[in-house]
Amino acid sequence: MRIEVAEESVASLDTYAGVPIASWVESVLEVENGPGGWVLTERQLDIPYVKDYDAIPGEHPSRWPERFDVSGWGVFAARVEGRRVGGAVVAFDTPELEMLGGRRDLAVLWDVRVAPESRGRGIGAALFHAAEAWARARGCRRLWVETQNVNVAACRFYARQGCALVSVDR
């Protein structure tokens, strides 16, 4: 399977959002600060549910330009055999985005999504590496990633990409 990742215009956010981000939540990661660092323990939920970030008011990709100056953001599409199967967005040089702290040597991997039927096939990794290269080309020394403990698959994915847990916002 050949994965093609290409940068697109921020004007493509509606099309970008055509790949669903919703996921089934069956467990969460409990996070404790232990003597050797963070300790993550997976706990199964009694009642699983669907988490759909795009359904949260104001969080759909088409709404981001209303909240942020996205002119400096990178938007990527992943395709297999010409079909869009994923995407990633990198936020950069966005003063109103608190996570960036006004820094121009830092980017945030704002969003990564892979079509449910295409997950586990290296598409997320290809997108992550494209985002890293994009940020590095703009002089960024760090690429911040944020996810939630209800997205266990994402937490594991980021760990496989070499990300380290550096803070917890309870």
Side-chain angles (χ1 to χ4, degrees), residues 4-170:
E4 296 176 7
V5 176
E7 186 174 357
E8 298 185 325
S9 162
V10 293
S12 70
L13 287 174
D14 278 337
T15 306
Y16 170 88
V19 174
I21 197 169
S23 60
W24 186 244
V25 179
E26 297 178 291
S27 62
V28 298
L29 291 175
E30 301 292 348
V31 183
E32 298 299 326
N33 195 358
W38 300 104
V39 177
L40 305 176
T41 306
E42 188 171 357
R43 177 178 55 83
Q44 297 298 311
L45 296 177
D46 294 332
I47 302 173
Y49 63 95
V50 172
K51 175 78 177 201
D52 186 355
Y53 297 92
D54 288 349
I56 299 169
E59 294 299 324
H60 191 273
S62 64
R63 307 298 300 269
W64 296 340
E66 297 170 11
R67 296 173 47 210
F68 307 106
D69 174 4
V70 297
S71 61
W73 290 22
V75 178
F76 298 90
R79 291 184 172 80
V80 172
E81 297 178 6
R83 187 174 76 83
R84 182 186 293 265
V85 293
V89 173
V90 183
F92 172 71
D93 193 21
T94 311
E96 66 274 21
L97 187 56
E98 290 180 23
M99 290 177 68
L100 290 172
R103 294 173 55 178
R104 291 193 45 115
D105 65 337
L106 176 64
V108 175
L109 184 56
W110 188 252
D111 189 76
V112 175
R113 53 186 64 214
V114 175
E117 68 278 5
S118 298
R119 293 176 184 164
R121 298 183 181 173
I123 294 161
L127 288 162
F128 185 90
H129 296 306
E132 269 186 316
W134 186 92
R136 193 175 300 112
R138 280 151 186 80
C140 294
R141 295 176 20 182
R142 288 196 176 218
L143 179 64
W144 285 112
V145 175
E146 181 182 54
T147 192
Q148 297 177 341
N149 67 333
V150 300
N151 197 341
V152 175
C155 292
R156 289 184 179 141
F157 167 76
Y158 292 129
R160 285 193 307 273
Q161 303 316 305
C163 296
L165 179 60
V166 296
S167 69
V168 174
D169 183 0
R170 296 189 190 276

